[in-house]
Amino acid sequence: MCIRAGAPPTTATSQEAPPTADPADATPQERVEAYFEASDAAAADGWKDTSYADDFLIPELAEKQKTDDADRAESGAVITGERKLTNWTVTEEEDTTATVEFCDDGTGFEATKDGKPVEINNASLKVVGQFKLVRESSSEPWMIQQKGYYDEETTCDAHFAG
């Protein structure tokens, strides 16, 4: 590196670490975030490609996801918009199991069917999620084993307060 005399010193700025490239290095939160990004991308494309399920879900859950996505694709609906995932809490983490809770805010979603807007109940799209993840060893990626949501009466604000 060459520094010219009189050149102002450079300073490094602090940034949030980018997600890891190797799925085995990703945290449970990063894996769930990546799952939702892939799922939302599939929804925005009318669920034409559902192979993402194999990358993030245990085989039994992946098959169910693909079946559900095929039903959605048949409907002709397309879902676009922004999902916000906040209030991440790890309620359990060991070498091969982890449980995370988070607020899943899909109130920014919009739906279309055959190119025409379709009304969706966005009020029910802000929920508390609880996902359980598993892996064979620390050299393997976390896979989602269970996807669960609290009932609609359990608000994000109330659940994550205090």
Side-chain angles (χ1 to χ4, degrees):
M1 181 165 99
C2 179
I3 299 178
R4 292 182 300 156
T10 59
T11 57
T13 58
S14 152
Q15 294 181 2
E16 189 173 314
T20 58
D22 183 351
D25 293 335
T27 66
Q29 176 181 333
E30 289 171 333
R31 289 292 287 167
V32 172
E33 289 172 329
Y35 162 74
F36 277 119
E37 287 173 17
S39 174
D40 293 348
D45 195 34
W47 292 279
K48 293 176 189 157
D49 179 8
T50 60
S51 62
Y52 73 92
D54 294 320
D55 296 334
F56 298 100
L57 306 172
I58 64 167
E60 298 82 11
L61 198 55
E63 287 308 311
K64 180 178 180 344
Q65 184 72 51
K66 289 179 190 178
T67 300
D68 292 346
D69 285 354
D71 292 343
R72 292 179 185 111
E74 253 182 54
S75 77
V78 172
I79 308 288
T80 58
E82 184 180 353
R83 175 190 307 269
K84 295 177 187 165
L85 301 170
T86 59
N87 298 94
W88 288 93
T89 305
V90 177
T91 60
E92 171 199 358
E93 186 169 358
E94 296 178 17
D95 289 340
T96 58
T97 62
T99 302
V100 295
E101 293 186 348
F102 52 92
C103 181
D104 181 356
D105 182 353
T107 56
F109 286 141
E110 296 177 353
T112 58
K113 186 172 179 177
D114 302 321
K116 297 183 176 117
V118 176
E119 192 167 323
I120 54 177
N121 181 4
N122 281 8
S124 66
L125 294 178
K126 188 171 184 181
V127 294
V128 177
Q130 182 186 70
F131 282 24
K132 182 172 183 174
L133 296 91
V134 295
R135 64 181 175 180
E136 296 292 318
S137 72
S138 61
S139 63
E140 296 293 319
W142 290 103
M143 301 298 283
I144 298 167
Q145 181 183 43
Q146 290 178 328
K147 299 186 304 179
Y149 290 92
Y150 285 79
D151 60 44
E152 290 181 27
E153 288 78 38
T154 304
T155 66
C156 291
D157 290 341
H159 186 76
F160 293 106

